[in-house]
Amino acid sequence: MLINLSSLTALTLGAASLVSAQVPFPVTGVNVAQGQAVPLRKNINDLQTNGGPEWDLYIRALLEFQKQDANDPLSYFQVAGIHGKPFIEWDGSGGRRSDGWQGYCPHGERIFLTWHRPYVMLYEQLLVATAQRLARDYPQRYRAQYVEAANNLRCPFWDWGSGGVPKATVPETMMVNIPSGSGLKKTSVDNPLYTFKFPQEALNGDFGDFDSEKRTQMFRCPSPNSYPDSANALLAKRPYKSMVYDAFTKAASFDQFSSTGASGGTSLEQIHNAIHWDAGCGGQFLAAEFSGFDPLFMLHHSNVDRFWAYWQAMQPDSPLFNTSYAGGARWSTPSGTSISTESPLQPFLSDMINFHTSESVSSIKGFGYTYEGLEYWEKDEAQMQTDATRLINQLYSDNSTVSSRSVKVNSLGQGCYTRFFVRVSLEVEEVERPCSIDLYLHGQKVDGHVVMQQPACGTAYGEYSIDHVVKETMNLDLEPDHLVSSILKGFQVQITKHDGTIIPIETVPSLKIEIEDVEVTPPTDDCELPTYDKSRSRIAPLVQKPVSCECEDDDNHDKKHGSGTFGI
């Protein structure tokens, strides 16, 4: 799309969006003057609790953003639609080349993290530009503080490692201060975090076939469930806090940390997938075609980016993947395309000509945002590593895990203990997706490995701690060999769709379950991480969990807290 330079300048200076825009829109991040501190992306709960001008502007800017003309590529509708539907070319970035999935987003690939970074940056650029424009309309006596708040506003994150869905996403309306003559007026407005209403143009079919179910907006936890109670009940069933810590401490490489497409380690993507399963009780937030429209999406992915930024500070020698691979299909890329760190992350331009690459977004430096502890303009690499490690330990480590196990002394005279994990792998094309590979030990649910709609083919991997179930059902003073033997005998699997339908495991010949026991040496202080050694894996026999009766149990999503029909 092409625009005249004066229009582009207006955008740069803070105009929300221009329907007449016709020059490509580069994703540069919010501009921060040289020498100034870079604003933090903040926890959405803290942003709401603190209130004030920044909260007023966040709510008002997001509401204004959502009301932009759907025909404008810089509207909320089209920016959110980059992820999936309406399956159209965005911002003149090139026609469709896909031979499969028609959205732009990649999943189950090494570029999962790198692609979503400029996506959140694009959203943030437009959100802040809108806030800056709104701030200039406040009365003179308040204008300076609102302009300052707009300049400091960044896309907040939802830290699902430490609690349920954000409180701000629950009410249908929100109170904010708006300009009123020479003063302010507290006014009730539609809460833009509650839902997103699809524009009439999309419902009329102006962008092609949009939704066969004719839904007029985004819905969470459809009846008989309810939001936020059903979502929070699902979220509480998974140990998100410890999963985050395992991702940081057990993954040995960026590949293992980042994607379900790499074996070994608890990946950030597998945790991300579970959030999509739980937070909306299935439905549209689980569907790749529609999830980008939910206001939860950018809060979710800002947190995903946050964790990657901490990983990069903690593991400076492994910030990215380092090998090429055959990628999956998406709008701009046919399946089988060789993907490297220099491959374009379409449709996001870094300047007027060139697309961003994984290399160009491999650091948050220079993109106008940061996170607590990552004040890179005033710290060296060693200090960043120390501060990020300390923060992850303080927020996500579970000190009770050490005291709950039998601690022994290793050959170096260090206290150590054994942990147990289950590894899952399967070819995704063998199952109807989305679904969950639900894992049970001695009748108790360990966790569920969520297999998303995308990618359409390839191997999906996952890894989950089974320590909590081992602790509850077994004698930890037994030797690891005896414990593993009991685990292998007591392990069962059930593959479940979100509507409760069971997929027989014999129809998934590639499904593989392994039990790992590994020696762990805990850190001596909060500037260190635990170390893992002497890992042993054994293949578990595939035993179908018997179908439950009408009684409710932990895995019965459709009868209790989590499902409703998928996509409703």
Side-chain angles (χ1 to χ4, degrees), residues 14 16 53-68 74 76 123-135 138 149-150 153-154 176-178 189-190 192:
E54 197 167 340
W55 180 254
D56 291 339
L57 288 170
Y58 172 59
I59 293 298
R60 291 192 64 210
L62 183 53
L63 187 60
E64 181 84 5
F65 189 15
Q66 290 181 352
K67 292 178 179 178
Q68 291 294 323
L74 302 182
Y76 182 97
Y123 171 91
E124 183 172 71
Q125 254 180 275
L126 296 169
L127 178 74
V128 172
T130 306
Q132 290 171 334
R133 177 172 59 81
L134 292 172
Y138 276 81
L153 177 65
R154 295 297 183 267
V176 294
N177 293 299
I178 66 172
V189 299
D190 290 338

Side-chain angles (χ1 to χ4, degrees), residues 93-413:
S93 57
R96 176 185 170 187
R97 299 183 62 216
S98 174
D99 53 357
W101 164 243
Q102 297 179 53
Y104 280 98
C105 66
H107 291 93
E109 296 189 33
R110 292 172 177 84
I111 59 169
F112 166 71
L113 293 180
T114 63
W115 185 90
H116 283 87
R117 175 165 282 176
Y119 191 26
V120 179
M121 284 166 48
L122 169 63
Y123 171 91
E124 183 172 71
Q125 254 180 275
L126 296 169
L127 178 74
V128 172
T130 306
Q132 290 171 334
R133 177 172 59 81
L134 292 172
R136 293 194 292 270
D137 291 335
Y138 276 81
Q140 183 66 37
R141 60 186 293 200
Y142 299 104
R143 189 172 302 152
Q145 65 184 111
Y146 274 86
V147 168
E148 181 182 10
N151 291 337
N152 286 326
L153 177 65
R154 295 297 183 267
C155 177
F157 61 86
W158 165 32
D159 183 8
W160 28 255
S162 61
V165 296
K167 297 172 293 183
T169 63
V170 177
E172 294 188 43
T173 60
M174 193 73 72
M175 298 297 294
V176 294
N177 293 299
I178 66 172
S180 179
S182 61
L184 302 177
K185 181 180 179 181
K186 189 169 284 293
T187 304
S188 176
V189 299
D190 290 338
N191 180 10
L193 295 170
Y194 176 73
T195 188
F196 172 68
K197 296 178 180 178
F198 298 128
Q200 192 60 47
E201 295 92 330
L203 302 178
N204 292 343
D206 292 2
F207 298 97
D209 181 25
F210 187 67
D211 183 8
S212 61
E213 298 186 40
K214 307 299 182 184
R215 292 164 292 198
T216 59
Q217 66 179 56
M218 291 296 292
F219 294 97
R220 303 179 191 129
C221 298
S223 180
N225 300 292
S226 64
Y227 186 88
D229 293 345
S230 298
N232 284 336
L234 281 174
L235 291 164
K237 290 180 181 178
R238 295 188 207 263
Y240 280 108
K241 178 180 175 181
S242 61
M243 282 199 289
V244 168
Y245 196 65
D246 287 342
F248 276 101
T249 60
K250 195 163 184 294
S253 65
F254 171 86
D255 290 6
Q256 290 183 1
F257 175 78
S258 65
S259 172
T260 56
S263 63
T266 300
S267 74
L268 193 51
E269 187 177 14
Q270 82 175 42
I271 309 172
H272 152 277
N273 292 350
I275 291 293
H276 276 285
W277 181 278
D278 292 345
C281 309
Q284 293 155 297
F285 194 56
L286 182 58
E289 298 97 323
F290 295 104
S291 61
F293 294 110
D294 195 313
L296 275 173
F297 183 91
M298 288 298 177
L299 300 175
H300 175 29
H301 274 277
S302 184
N303 196 47
V304 170
D305 182 78
R306 168 176 169 256
F307 285 140
W308 179 29
Y310 285 133
W311 166 271
Q312 292 179 300
M314 295 163 65
Q315 306 287 347
D317 294 331
S318 186
L320 281 177
F321 60 99
N322 54 22
T323 58
S324 299
Y325 68 94
R330 54 190 182 279
W331 174 270
S332 53
T333 311
S335 60
T337 299
S338 179
I339 304 296
S340 73
T341 57
E342 293 295 337
S343 297
L345 299 176
Q346 289 151 308
F348 309 118
L349 286 168
S350 60
D351 53 37
M352 291 296 185
I353 300 174
N354 301 298
F355 289 107
H356 274 294
T357 67
S358 295
E359 287 283 355
S360 74
V361 298
S362 63
S363 169
I364 63 174
K365 295 179 181 179
F367 288 126
Y369 74 94
T370 191
Y371 302 100
E372 178 187 1
L374 301 183
E375 296 81 6
Y376 56 80
W377 60 95
E378 59 185 23
K379 299 177 181 178
D380 60 22
E381 186 176 278
Q383 188 63 52
M384 291 263 287
Q385 185 176 33
T386 297
D387 290 351
T389 301
R390 180 186 293 112
L391 185 142
I392 293 301
N393 274 322
Q394 291 174 347
L395 292 180
Y396 305 107
S397 67
D398 184 0
N399 293 327
S400 67
T401 57
V402 176
S403 60
S404 69
R405 297 178 177 86
S406 179
V407 178
K408 302 178 181 179
V409 178
N410 64 17
S411 59
L412 299 177

